[in-house]
Amino acid sequence: MNGGPSGFYNAPVTKTFVIACALFTIFLGIQGRSSTLGLSYQDVFGKLHLWRFLASFITFSSTPELMFGLYLLYYFRVFERQIGSNKYSVFILFSVIISSLFEVLTLAFLKDPTLNILASGPYGLIFSSFVPFYFDIPVSTRFRIFGINFSDKSFIYLAGLQLLLSSLRRSVIPGMCGILAGSLYRLNILHIRRMKFPEFVTSFFSRLYGLYPGGSSPRSSSRNITGTAPSFVGRQVERNYPATLHASTTEPPEDSIATLVSMGFDRNSARQALVHARNDINVATNILLEAQSH
């Protein structure tokens, strides 16, 4: 199991978010303020410091949390490649808003003076991503170490567990709120998985980040976050796009096949779609998603 091609290929939103988290954490860490940016009952209900929502969402409390957090954010870029940058942005916004709401409700319910400040950082987004990771990303290899069974997904879970327990209760609460937010997204509350940003917004960011042709097209998005494609996709591609259509006679590049495989499609289906799409990866993605939806 891997996150697909290395780097931030087809993941401009993740790239921007990772860079922003790193810069804000380092900048505020130099000033000695990063450890005090988390939400607290007094800040939310007493002083009404609403700016802390933004600060606590994008800034980690410490260097170890930054390292594990960025590693997980970088791995979860696979979901942006899967559903497209547009819908992934909606997923980020939903995860942040809902997890922050759960955090505020938890603070209001506990009113615990010993719970000084919740750990800051994008815990909501990270642990919300663990929901589709658990249900939709398949295990590709299994192995044993000292008689204990592991899979290739175990390292991601261990990194998440380290981050979840990094500050004990201060980090456990934001992490659990993120899991609840991810569960609501998976349940498609208010049909959230169908929502997209308006076309003029996506066009602006497409030009800003240069999504075409190297990045994710807003059109290359699926109906939901899913790590695997059904086994019949290859046959569906052949049925919808027979060889008589203007298919490319050039063998698809390996990196293009690898990109589609990282999005959850099997290798044979990915190759067939690229052949019918004349090696245009965005068109091939649409072909595969259309076949998957049937």
Side-chain angles (χ1 to χ4, degrees):
M1 181 196 66
N2 55 65
S6 61
F8 292 100
Y9 179 78
N10 268 6
V13 174
T14 302
K15 178 180 180 180
T16 303
F17 195 80
V18 166
I19 293 174
C21 287
L23 291 179
F24 272 87
T25 302
I26 294 172
F27 176 74
L28 294 176
I30 293 174
Q31 294 185 333
R33 299 173 56 189
S34 59
S35 60
T36 63
L37 291 176
L39 296 179
S40 69
Y41 180 85
Q42 182 63 22
D43 287 323
V44 175
F45 298 99
K47 301 178 181 178
L48 296 178
H49 287 171
L50 300 182
W51 59 269
R52 283 187 176 271
F53 282 97
L54 177 60
S56 64
F57 161 62
I58 204 169
T59 307
F60 286 98
S61 303
S62 64
T63 301
E65 292 174 31
L66 174 67
M67 294 174 60
F68 283 102
L70 293 188
Y71 169 72
L72 291 169
L73 288 172
Y74 177 74
Y75 175 80
F76 289 141
R77 73 197 187 283
V78 65
F79 295 126
E80 181 178 357
R81 291 171 174 170
Q82 172 74 38
I83 64 176
S85 298
N86 192 323
K87 286 192 174 182
Y88 188 69
S89 299
V90 174
F91 173 70
I92 291 177
L93 186 62
F94 179 85
S95 300
V96 170
I97 292 176
I98 299 302
S99 61
S100 298
L101 177 61
F102 280 132
E103 289 181 37
V104 170
L105 292 176
T106 302
L107 290 172
F109 176 76
L110 294 177
K111 296 182 181 179
D112 188 353
T114 64
L115 186 61
N116 186 17
I117 299 177
L118 296 181
S120 65
Y123 282 80
L125 172 60
I126 291 173
F127 287 95
S128 180
S129 300
F130 269 102
V131 176
F133 175 76
Y134 174 79
F135 286 104
D136 300 323
I137 298 297
V139 173
S140 57
T141 58
R142 298 182 185 274
F143 52 92
R144 294 172 64 89
I145 299 179
F146 301 117
I148 302 176
N149 293 321
F150 291 92
S151 72
D152 50 344
K153 296 176 66 173
S154 300
F155 299 106
I156 304 299
Y157 287 126
L158 289 175
L161 183 63
Q162 173 64 38
L163 184 62
L164 184 68
L165 302 179
S166 58
S167 300
L168 300 179
R169 248 197 331 167
R170 293 177 61 244
S171 54
V172 168
I173 292 177
M176 297 305 296
C177 291
I179 293 174
L180 288 175
S183 300
L184 291 178
Y185 185 89
R186 182 174 179 81
L187 292 173
N188 201 20
I189 299 297
L190 301 177
H191 302 289
I192 184 63
R193 286 157 67 171
R194 297 182 181 179
M195 295 183 182
K196 296 192 298 183
F197 285 111
E199 187 64 29
F200 73 90
V201 176
T202 59
S203 298
F204 170 77
F205 283 102
S206 295
R207 289 190 290 267
L208 181 63
Y209 295 114
L211 297 184
Y212 304 107
S216 299
S217 167
R219 291 173 296 178
S220 61
S221 58
S222 69
R223 295 183 177 181
N224 48 43
I225 293 181
T226 172
T228 57
S231 59
F232 60 81
V233 169
R235 296 192 297 272
Q236 192 71 35
V237 169
E238 292 178 340
R239 187 180 304 125
N240 292 348
Y241 299 88
T244 54
L245 296 181
H246 305 283
S248 171
T249 58
T250 305
E251 184 67 20
E254 279 298 320
D255 58 343
S256 297
I257 297 176
T259 299
L260 293 176
V261 170
S262 73
M263 295 166 64
F265 303 106
D266 67 84
R267 181 180 177 83
N268 184 53
S269 300
R271 181 188 172 280
Q272 292 177 17
L274 284 167
V275 168
H276 289 294
R278 295 187 176 185
N279 295 333
D280 186 317
I281 193 168
N282 289 325
V283 175
T285 303
N286 287 333
I287 292 174
L288 290 165
L289 292 174
E290 181 182 339
Q292 183 179 349
S293 66
H294 283 75

